[in-house]
């Protein structure tokens, strides 16, 4: 068993980023709800307590007895976790006079302390809390502060328990990865032996054991996630994997034909299914984003139910679900994390569909998926593709989805993406796409008045998709994109650029 860090989730939306940072250090970790600590802790080397949307003073706040974990393992509390540990030690946590959110700068950093090794004085950190630790009880050493927070970091003397009020897992905490490395490597003694190659070997072995000689149907989308998942399954069971690539009418321009060729070149056993009309019928009259997502998801399942009956003996459905999909749709393991939006490939299957689900990538973040794909020998042109939402252009058309709107958006989006590639900007952007807005605007073309559609361009930079900044694309580039779309796509006379970051916005508009 791999050395493991146990992350207890108290409901923070960035709990998964803790895991993301530890995976960068090649340290295996698992997130579990605070109220569902695993019974087998034999591989655990340390424990991290996450932040939370709760205040420790709320009536329903999670306040578990962690004395057994405190006695056995090094423990790092982050934000709410640090406050919880302070209370457990007889300390005092009070409401802040003002909510502390955003950048702060460390001072009085105790460089002698192993947690603070390599952390610079005045290092930028990220605060997000409404309560402040006024005291942490007896035998406490403060190891860093800020001008607003005395207990920015502390350590219980004579123990391996320590807490930080800031969030080292977010990128705004510039030395956060160093701090987490100090904890898991130096304090917990992890060796960092969990690599993409190890993941492939262990996952293939697990798939062979789990699936045995049974048949698997795998839904392919053309994206990185489903491609890597399919190659893992194919490596484990060969042609007993039956891939199905559904044309839902919501793909990018020419994507169905191009991706089918890529998959055939890879030797995958793949069948293309044109179900565009079925999806358009299911979406007719729908304007609510969640209603559209659910309609697309249900139709996807219905199509697969029909196709699965054509594969004799099929008992499994493979999916390319990854960790952020799970986090944003349901709580990790039933924990308290808040739901942001539903994902079409998360949450199980209806009773009438007699297939079990296998998700080889469910524990991985997007960058990990790409590294695993590279270790499998998948071509960079496939691994480097931008993420594309499962519901496709159905959630990039605001309002009702029609075949005519899809064609309009496909043409505009193709221009945007191709120009990104032509001007060597594609790889510097995490995700890009075009959104068809539910408005028309007045324009002048050829001395004539027009009243046509508007589109928004969206491009973001990110490392994990959980947080994202809008990409600062050159003005000259944006000008050319706008000019080419308006000149080449009849029906569009206005182009705007989205400069919203995540949070508060999401990457997709719906």
């Amino acid at each position: 068993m791999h050395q493991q860090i146990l992350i207890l989730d108290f409901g923070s939306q960035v709990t998964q980023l803790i895991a993301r940072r530890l995976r960068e250090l090649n340290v295996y970790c698992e997130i579990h709800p605070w109220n569902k600590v695993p019974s087998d802790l034999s591989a655990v080397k340390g424990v991290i307590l996450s932040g939370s949307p709760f205040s420790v003073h709320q009536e329903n706040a999670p306040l578990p007895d962690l004395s057994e974990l405190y006695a056995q393992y090094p423990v790092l509390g982050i934000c709410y976790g640090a406050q919880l540990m302070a209370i457990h030690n007889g300390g005092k946590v009070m409401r802040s006079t003002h909510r502390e959110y955003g950048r702060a700068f460390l001072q009085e950093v105790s460089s002698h302390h192993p947690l603070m090794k390599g952390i610079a004085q005045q290092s930028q950190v990220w605060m997000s809390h409404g309560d402040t630790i006024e005291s942490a009880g007896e035998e406490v050493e403060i190891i860093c502060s800020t001008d607003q927070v005395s207990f920015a970091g502390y350590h219980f003397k004579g123990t391996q328990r320590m807490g930080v009020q800031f969030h080292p897992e977010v990128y705004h905490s510039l030395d956060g990865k160093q701090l987490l490395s100090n904890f898991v490597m130096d304090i917990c003694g992890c060796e960092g032996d969990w690599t993409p190659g190890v993941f492939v070997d262990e996952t293939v072995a697990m798939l062979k054991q789990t699936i045995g000689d049974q048949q698997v149907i795998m839904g392919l989308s053309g994206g990185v996630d489903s491609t890597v998942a399919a190659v893992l399954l194919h490596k484990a069971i060969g042609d007993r994997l039956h891939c199905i690539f559904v044309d839902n009418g919501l793909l990018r321009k020419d994507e169905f034909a191009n991706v089918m060729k890529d998959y055939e070149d890879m030797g995958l056993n793949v069948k293309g299914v044109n179900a565009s009309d079925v999806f358009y019928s299911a979406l007719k009259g729908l304007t609510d984003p969640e209603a559209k997502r659910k309609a697309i998801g249900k139709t996807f399942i219905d199509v697969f139910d029909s196709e699965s009956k054509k594969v004799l003996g099929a008992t499994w459905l493979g999916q390319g679900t990854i960790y952020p999909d799970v986090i944003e749709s349901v709580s990790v393991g039933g924990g308290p994390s808040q739901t942001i939006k539903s994902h079409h490939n998360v949450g199980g299957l209806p009773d009438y569909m007699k297939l079990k689900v296998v998700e080889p990538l469910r524990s991985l973040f997007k960058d990990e998926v790409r590294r695993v794909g590279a270790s499998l020998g998948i071509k960079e042109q496939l691994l480097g593709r931008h993420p594309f939402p499962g519901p496709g252009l159905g959630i990039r058309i605001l309002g009702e989805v029609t075949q005519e709107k899809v064609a309009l958006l496909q043409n505009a989006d193709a221009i945007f993406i191709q120009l990104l590639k032509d001007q060597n900007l594609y790889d510097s952007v995490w995700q890009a796409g075009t959104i068809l807005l539910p408005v028309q605007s007045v324009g002048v073309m050829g001395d004539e008045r027009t009243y046509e559609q508007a589109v928004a361009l969206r491009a973001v930079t990110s490392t994990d998709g959980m947080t994202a900044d809008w990409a600062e694309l050159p003005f000259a580039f944006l000008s050319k994109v706008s000019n080419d779309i308006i000149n080449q796509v009849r029906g569009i006379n206005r182009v705007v650029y989205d400069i919203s970051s995540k949070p508060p916005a999401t990457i997709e508009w719906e």
Side-chain angles (χ1 to χ4, degrees), residues 220-427:
L220 299 182
S221 67
V224 176
D225 303 335
S226 66
T227 299
V228 175
V231 173
L232 275 170
L233 281 161
H234 186 261
K235 187 177 178 67
I237 65 172
D239 283 347
R240 285 185 288 110
L241 171 65
H242 305 266
C243 298
I244 299 171
F245 183 29
V246 175
D247 183 358
N248 59 10
L250 305 171
L251 303 174
R252 288 164 287 201
K253 187 174 182 180
D254 299 327
E255 185 169 21
F256 185 67
N258 293 337
V259 171
M260 277 294 294
K261 185 178 186 306
D262 286 337
Y263 285 145
E264 289 167 356
D265 290 345
M266 294 168 64
L268 292 176
N269 177 18
V270 60
K271 175 184 179 182
V273 178
N274 187 339
S276 302
D277 292 343
V278 179
F279 280 86
Y280 288 141
S281 296
L283 288 165
K284 186 175 179 58
L286 299 182
T287 59
D288 178 74
E290 277 295 286
K292 291 195 293 184
R293 282 179 174 270
K294 290 176 180 178
I296 292 167
K298 180 181 182 303
T299 305
F300 172 80
I301 290 173
D302 289 344
V303 170
F304 263 81
D305 182 44
S306 175
E307 291 299 322
S308 70
K309 294 173 181 175
K310 301 175 185 177
V311 180
L312 297 179
T315 53
W316 293 89
L317 175 67
Q319 293 193 150
T321 309
I322 65 172
Y323 217 0
D325 296 337
V326 178
I327 295 294
E328 290 194 343
S329 298
V330 293
S331 303
V332 177
S337 295
Q338 302 294 310
T339 296
I340 300 296
K341 58 189 176 183
S342 62
H343 286 260
H344 78 291
N345 58 347
V346 178
L349 300 171
D351 291 339
Y352 67 80
M353 191 171 183
K354 306 302 181 183
L355 292 174
K356 294 173 286 186
V357 176
V358 57
E359 298 167 315
L361 307 178
R362 189 178 177 89
S363 65
L364 298 187
F365 293 95
K366 178 71 74 173
D367 64 314
E368 293 181 298
V369 174
R370 289 195 170 104
R371 291 202 296 269
V372 167
S375 72
L376 288 166
I378 298 175
K379 292 185 293 187
E380 176 58 32
Q381 68 185 53
L382 288 172
L383 295 179
R385 297 186 69 188
H386 289 176
F388 188 63
L393 300 182
I395 58 169
R396 291 184 178 175
I397 295 172
L398 307 193
E400 184 178 7
V401 177
T402 66
Q403 190 169 358
E404 293 73 25
K405 290 181 181 178
V406 169
L408 196 70
L409 183 56
Q410 284 176 330
N411 289 328
D413 187 69
I415 292 171
F416 182 29
I417 299 301
Q418 189 58 52
L419 284 173
L420 282 171
K421 293 177 179 178
D422 291 346
Q423 300 199 17
N424 297 318
L425 294 168
Y426 185 85
D427 290 338

Side-chain angles (χ1 to χ4, degrees), residues 52-58 61 79-80 83-84 87 92-100 127-134 148-149 151 165:
S52 177
F54 290 99
S55 162
V56 293
H57 298 298
Q58 286 180 240
C79 196
Y80 180 91
Q83 296 169 2
L84 178 64
I87 287 178
K92 188 175 182 181
V93 176
M94 300 294 292
R95 295 296 294 175
S96 301
T97 55
H98 63 280
R99 187 169 185 265
E100 293 162 321
M127 295 285 189
S128 180
H129 60 100
D131 292 346
T132 293
I133 301 171
E134 290 199 353
Q148 295 289 330
V149 180
F151 285 83
Q165 182 62 77

Side-chain angles (χ1 to χ4, degrees), residues 5-271:
I5 297 296
L6 171 64
I7 302 170
L8 290 187
D9 178 19
F10 287 88
S12 170
Q13 281 299 327
V14 292
T15 298
Q16 65 277 11
L17 292 185
I18 304 171
R20 169 72 170 70
R21 302 297 169 255
L22 299 192
R23 301 282 183 80
E24 288 179 346
L25 299 168
N26 292 333
V27 173
Y28 183 69
C29 56
E30 291 183 359
I31 299 175
H32 291 271
W34 63 270
N35 56 352
K36 294 183 180 179
V37 178
S39 56
D40 182 5
L41 300 178
S42 58
V44 170
K45 300 286 287 183
V47 180
I48 296 179
L49 311 179
S50 82
S52 177
F54 290 99
S55 162
V56 293
H57 298 298
Q58 286 180 240
E59 184 177 348
N60 59 339
L63 300 171
D65 179 1
L66 301 176
S67 55
E68 290 189 14
L69 294 179
Y70 292 161
Q72 296 181 60
Y73 306 102
V75 179
L76 172 64
I78 295 175
C79 196
Y80 180 91
Q83 296 169 2
L84 178 64
M85 292 172 63
I87 287 178
H88 283 168
N89 198 52
K92 188 175 182 181
V93 176
M94 300 294 292
R95 295 296 294 175
S96 301
T97 55
H98 63 280
R99 187 169 185 265
E100 293 162 321
Y101 180 85
R103 292 173 177 83
F105 298 90
L106 296 183
Q107 56 192 25
E108 301 177 17
V109 176
S110 298
S111 56
H112 68 276
H113 193 278
L115 186 67
M116 306 308 293
K117 184 184 71 176
I119 308 298
Q121 300 286 347
Q122 293 298 309
S123 179
Q124 177 183 293
V125 296
W126 189 260
M127 295 285 189
S128 180
H129 60 100
D131 292 346
T132 293
I133 301 171
E134 290 199 353
S135 73
E138 299 295 327
E139 297 297 313
V140 175
E141 172 191 9
I142 294 177
I143 55 178
C144 63
S145 301
T146 70
D147 60 352
Q148 295 289 330
V149 180
S150 296
F151 285 83
Y154 68 85
H155 170 223
F156 296 117
K157 296 178 182 179
T159 77
Q160 289 188 302
R161 286 182 284 132
M162 55 213 75
V164 292
Q165 182 62 77
F166 54 91
H167 286 269
E169 68 271 31
V170 303
Y171 274 95
H172 300 87
S173 293
L174 300 184
D175 288 327
K177 187 175 178 180
Q178 177 66 49
L179 185 146
L180 291 172
S181 176
N182 292 341
F183 179 70
V184 299
M185 299 293 197
D186 299 341
I187 296 173
C188 298
C190 293
E191 297 176 359
D193 62 350
W194 196 68
T195 63
V198 169
F199 174 83
V200 169
D201 292 342
E202 294 181 349
T203 300
V204 169
M206 178 274 294
L207 291 171
K208 287 180 177 178
Q209 181 178 9
T210 301
I211 296 169
D213 61 357
Q214 297 174 322
Q215 309 289 317
V216 179
I217 295 176
M218 176 73 198
L220 299 182
S221 67
V224 176
D225 303 335
S226 66
T227 299
V228 175
V231 173
L232 275 170
L233 281 161
H234 186 261
K235 187 177 178 67
I237 65 172
D239 283 347
R240 285 185 288 110
L241 171 65
H242 305 266
C243 298
I244 299 171
F245 183 29
V246 175
D247 183 358
N248 59 10
L250 305 171
L251 303 174
R252 288 164 287 201
K253 187 174 182 180
D254 299 327
E255 185 169 21
F256 185 67
N258 293 337
V259 171
M260 277 294 294
K261 185 178 186 306
D262 286 337
Y263 285 145
E264 289 167 356
D265 290 345
M266 294 168 64
L268 292 176
N269 177 18
V270 60
K271 175 184 179 182

